[in-house]
Amino acid sequence: MLAQLPVQATVRVPKLAGDHMVLQRDKPLQLWGWADAGEAVTVSFRGKTYPAKTGGPGGKWTVTLPAQPAGGPYEMTIKGKNTLQIKDILLGDVWLASGQSNMEWPLQQNVVNFKQEIAQANFPCIRLLNVQDATAAAPQVEFKSKGWQVCSPQTVGGFSAVAYFFGRDLHQQYKVPIGLISSEWGGTLAEAWISGAALRKFPEFAPQVAALESNMGPARQQADYQAALAAWKKSPASQDRGLTPGQLSWADPKFAATSWPSMQVPGLWEEQTDHPELNTFDGIIWLRREVTLPTAAAGQPLSLSLAQIDDRDSTWFNGVLVGSTNGYTQPRRYTVPATAVRAGRNVLTVRVVDTGGGGGIWGKPEELYLKTATQTMPLTGSWQYQPAYDPASVPKNPFPGGTQNQPTMLYNAMIAPLVPYALKGVIWYQGESNAERAYQYRTLFPALIQDWRAQFGQPDLPFLFVQLASFGPQQDQPADYAWAELREAQMMTLAQPHTGMAVALDLGNPNDIHPLNKQDVGHRLALEARRVAYGDKSVVSSGPTYKSMKVEGNRIRLQFENVGSGLVLKDSSGPHLKGFAIAGADRKFVWAQGKLEGNTLVLYSDQVSKPVAVRYAWGNSPFVNLYNKENLPASSFRTDTWPGITEGKK
């Protein structure tokens, strides 16, 4: 533990305490830092001075300030052997935003209307703090961050879009300062965000937690791997064959790549079913494609779009470097200089460096093209490829996706250092990575909520979350889907007190796991915050939720809560009522017919004489039909409890 503490000589504070910080209004405020053993520390704030309690582990001191109303800006003075001055402090509402990539997704990353949103983001009373990605085998006392920033067009672009839109809504509604702490990591599992103490209650995770705590788990394995990798990098086997001195570069159009294998682009190489040797490959792969251009294009500049590349690329056209970008979410848009463009055969080469997880050229097919003055040439399809070195020579990573998905590793590094900072609440957008274990999520997700409340010492801490948006293919007939079962697990979590759920079914994209309408996600979370965290009894904060069913002969009548001003069906045309399926005791679902009768919905089918169950929007990317008049969609639901396809998976 001592090795994890900051180096100390004088009074220090964590990155949570700094210029532009927001402190939670109307709650006792616990502040802390470190000093020399036995050093007297005082904290002065708003005309009063408070002595700190010293003598904690590693010289930790703590002080509790009394609850105070919204306001500011204020200054804080912390004195020991030295003096710290913290300026521009606001008292308002502090929200912690966490989860995976849809919470991580930055405003500047092609979010709907992002340029205008960034230009208009002048909100000096909204403050942003981003916790940088990290993992740890034991709970940490500090995290990596650039500290608090005032929300402006210069700072908001790289911040979580969902968190920003959520905070903006609340700031405009309640006219109080808002502090947003963003601590998230794309592609991560829920169990990585839960403390070891809470995970020990799960038999499937207890052995991993015990191994971690005994220094025989992921930390030791990762250390051994890093040592082997460092040795490999110094060996001849690690040298990039595409950049061998004295030989043609693989980017040179004269280099013959005719014997190279091919893969389909766009697509991560781990997902190439024809190349299983790449399923766990992290490293460097070169990709090449020949492009034939007309005579009129010769000597003219070109526009090149390579969608996104995971993680870093260097791109050449006929051996001329045209660009290099780092970051898997960053768009690749390059200009090919006129001097590099020829009539006939041209060679496009991309050197991709994958640092972990997925690797390759990915994104929307329509964003992969080469544009001349007169035509746009798609670059989708077959590309030749070659690893920079023999994949078999590389030490095998025991955690190909990184340690970030090992149980409790993210909690230790990215949540524990925030405890016990006073919060107004939490917003959470995660579940995609746990979809194949949806039944487990029924207990895992509530355990996370209970764990965070216990760790922060706020048993009634509001916890708001986003139900998964539409993504993935949809079958023509009713079927079972893991994503539908995960949404069901999220819906069941509303049984936990002081929780709220924002439905995002209608905001998704079957072809993109990252829907770009983050405004409505943030707005719907803010509506739930008004109800759960601010006690607004008048707000309609969600769409209709299933309440009960009654069989009436060959029909089923459904009743709903949260109907607002009334129920609405978006589309009643066609041979059946879109989105709704009905089944008898044989458990064979067929599409239903039906109609609204007041605020109830009556469903039936000529194929089911004795119906017993109904399902709505049960799929990956279902038709979203049921809303209330406030234009908030209903959650997917089912009335049956028949076994699902993820039951028993752990």
Side-chain angles (χ1 to χ4, degrees):
M1 283 295 292
L2 291 177
Q4 301 157 19
L5 296 171
V7 176
Q8 297 159 35
T10 55
V11 169
R12 296 183 71 255
V13 292
K15 288 186 172 63
L16 272 170
D19 293 349
H20 316 306
M21 70 189 294
V22 181
L23 294 172
Q24 178 59 46
R25 61 173 172 152
D26 303 329
K27 288 184 179 180
L29 300 172
Q30 293 191 56
L31 304 177
W32 65 93
W34 302 272
D36 286 339
E39 184 174 354
V41 178
T42 61
V43 176
S44 298
F45 186 62
R46 298 189 66 201
K48 295 185 178 181
T49 299
Y50 308 88
K53 295 181 180 180
T54 59
K60 184 176 181 180
W61 56 263
T62 60
V63 65
T64 301
L65 277 57
Q68 302 179 53
Y74 304 116
E75 293 189 4
M76 179 181 292
T77 302
I78 303 172
K79 286 187 177 181
K81 293 178 181 178
N82 61 308
T83 299
L84 300 178
Q85 198 78 18
I86 302 176
K87 301 178 180 180
D88 190 29
I89 300 171
L90 299 179
L91 280 156
D93 290 334
V94 181
W95 287 87
L96 171 59
S98 189
Q100 55 183 108
S101 57
N102 271 308
M103 184 64 83
E104 182 182 41
W105 200 262
L107 179 57
Q108 65 193 12
Q109 188 55 46
N110 290 333
V111 170
V112 173
N113 203 28
F114 71 97
K115 292 182 180 179
Q116 183 177 347
E117 295 285 14
I118 291 173
Q120 295 177 347
N122 288 298
F123 294 100
C125 286
I126 297 178
R127 307 294 172 83
L128 316 171
L129 185 146
N130 184 61
V131 178
Q132 296 178 10
D133 293 350
T135 63
Q140 301 295 292
V141 298
E142 186 59 292
F143 57 91
K144 299 177 182 179
S145 177
K146 295 180 181 179
W148 288 96
Q149 296 180 308
V150 177
C151 179
S152 71
Q154 291 72 44
T155 61
V156 77
F159 197 74
S160 162
V162 168
Y164 166 67
F165 291 127
F166 168 80
R168 185 184 67 180
D169 266 30
L170 293 183
H171 176 58
Q172 293 174 331
Q173 176 71 27
Y174 295 107
K175 314 300 182 187
V176 298
I178 298 291
L180 299 171
I181 302 173
S182 176
S183 181
E184 73 292 284
W185 191 327
T188 52
L189 296 162
E191 56 264 32
W193 294 98
I194 303 176
S195 74
L199 277 182
R200 278 195 291 269
K201 301 174 184 177
F202 290 81
E204 61 269 35
F205 297 121
Q208 294 167 277
V209 173
L212 191 68
E213 294 174 345
S214 66
N215 199 31
M216 296 300 292
R220 172 63 64 83
Q221 296 176 58
Q222 191 70 4
D224 293 344
Y225 164 70
Q226 291 296 340
L229 186 63
W232 174 81
K233 288 180 178 179
K234 296 178 181 179
S235 71
S238 70
Q239 302 310 302
D240 190 331
R241 296 176 293 181
L243 299 173
T244 303
Q247 298 184 18
L248 280 179
S249 164
W250 287 357
D252 193 310
K254 295 189 292 292
F255 176 79
T258 53
S259 62
W260 285 15
S262 61
M263 70 168 67
Q264 293 299 304
V265 172
L268 300 176
W269 59 59
E270 288 87 351
E271 299 173 356
Q272 303 280 336
T273 56
D274 293 338
H275 303 288
E277 74 279 6
L278 301 180
N279 288 350
T280 59
F281 181 77
D282 295 329
I284 302 171
I285 288 183
W286 293 69
L287 295 105
R288 283 174 50 118
R289 180 180 174 120
E290 294 190 3
V291 180
T292 302
L293 294 176
T295 302
Q300 302 295 320
L302 306 175
S303 296
L304 174 62
S305 174
L306 294 174
Q308 283 98 18
I309 296 177
D310 193 344
D311 292 279
R312 185 168 69 249
D313 75 287
S314 297
T315 299
W316 293 265
F317 195 87
N318 286 333
V320 176
L321 183 66
V322 298
S324 182
T325 306
N326 186 26
Y328 76 96
T329 65
Q330 300 302 313
R332 267 54 176 194
R333 308 288 185 269
Y334 301 133
T335 298
V336 179
T339 54
V341 182
R342 308 167 185 168
R345 176 181 178 268
N346 294 262
V347 178
L348 174 61
T349 309
V350 183
R351 181 179 183 267
V352 180
V353 180
D354 171 35
T355 59
I361 302 174
W362 69 282
K364 298 178 181 179
E366 61 267 25
E367 293 180 355
L368 199 63
Y369 59 82
L370 186 67
K371 183 181 292 186
T372 71
T374 59
Q375 68 178 126
T376 299
M377 307 177 65
L379 295 175
T380 56
S382 180
W383 285 55
Q384 293 178 290
Y385 79 91
Q386 190 69 251
Y389 32 73
D390 181 3
S393 73
V394 185
K396 300 305 179 187
N397 189 342
F399 311 107
T403 56
Q404 70 268 25
N405 273 325
Q406 298 306 305
T408 202
M409 294 284 274
L410 293 182
Y411 172 85
N412 290 338
M414 299 176 67
I415 300 299
L418 306 176
V419 174
Y421 203 71
L423 303 174
K424 182 68 174 181
V426 175
I427 56 173
W428 175 263
Y429 195 160
Q430 191 274 339
E432 297 94 335
S433 293
N434 285 85
E436 295 303 318
R437 294 180 280 126
Y439 272 66
Q440 182 191 59
Y441 204 76
R442 293 181 178 187
T443 52
L444 192 63
F445 186 29
L448 183 150
I449 295 173
Q450 295 161 13
D451 181 35
W452 286 22
R453 286 172 170 170
Q455 299 293 340
F456 280 93
Q458 296 184 232
D460 298 331
L461 183 68
F463 201 107
L464 317 174
F465 51 92
V466 183
Q467 190 184 51
L468 295 190
S470 292
F471 173 69
Q474 188 75 11
Q475 298 185 41
D476 292 335
Q477 298 301 318
D480 290 316
Y481 297 86
W483 273 51
E485 292 177 13
L486 195 286
R487 293 190 191 104
E488 179 182 49
Q490 293 175 312
M491 186 74 176
M492 295 169 72
T493 303
L494 290 174
Q496 300 295 311
H498 310 290
T499 55
M501 183 178 75
V503 175
L505 266 175
D506 57 336
L507 307 179
N509 182 340
N511 301 312
D512 189 349
I513 200 171
H514 302 120
L516 298 179
N517 179 356
K518 304 301 187 188
Q519 288 92 333
D520 281 335
V521 177
H523 174 64
R524 291 174 185 178
L525 282 169
L527 288 176
E528 286 289 74
R530 290 171 60 184
R531 176 184 65 86
V532 177
Y534 294 90
D536 187 342
K537 304 297 184 183
S538 63
V539 65
V540 178
S541 63
S542 78
T545 51
Y546 168 71
K547 180 181 179 182
S548 63
M549 61 165 276
K550 181 180 180 182
V551 178
E552 299 175 349
N554 66 343
R555 302 184 175 213
I556 289 181
R557 184 180 299 272
L558 302 177
Q559 291 188 321
F560 299 89
E561 297 177 317
N562 299 311
V563 297
S565 302
L567 297 180
V568 174
L569 290 171
K570 292 287 185 176
D571 190 343
S572 298
S573 63
H576 55 78
L577 190 59
K578 295 181 178 65
F580 292 91
I582 194 168
D586 60 2
R587 304 185 180 185
K588 295 180 180 179
F589 280 91
V590 298
W591 296 123
Q593 296 172 281
K595 62 180 180 178
L596 287 175
E597 292 185 359
N599 282 330
T600 66
L601 180 63
V602 177
L603 298 173
Y604 62 94
S605 170
D606 293 340
Q607 301 176 56
V608 182
S609 59
K610 296 181 179 180
V612 300
V614 168
R615 291 182 178 182
Y616 166 68
W618 198 258
N620 289 329
S621 302
F623 189 89
V624 183
N625 202 355
L626 182 62
Y627 289 73
N628 55 27
K629 290 183 179 179
E630 284 72 17
N631 202 36
L632 295 171
S635 166
S636 57
F637 67 87
R638 59 172 176 163
T639 66
D640 65 273
T641 57
W642 298 330
I645 58 174
T646 67
E647 188 171 11
K649 290 186 178 181
K650 295 182 178 181

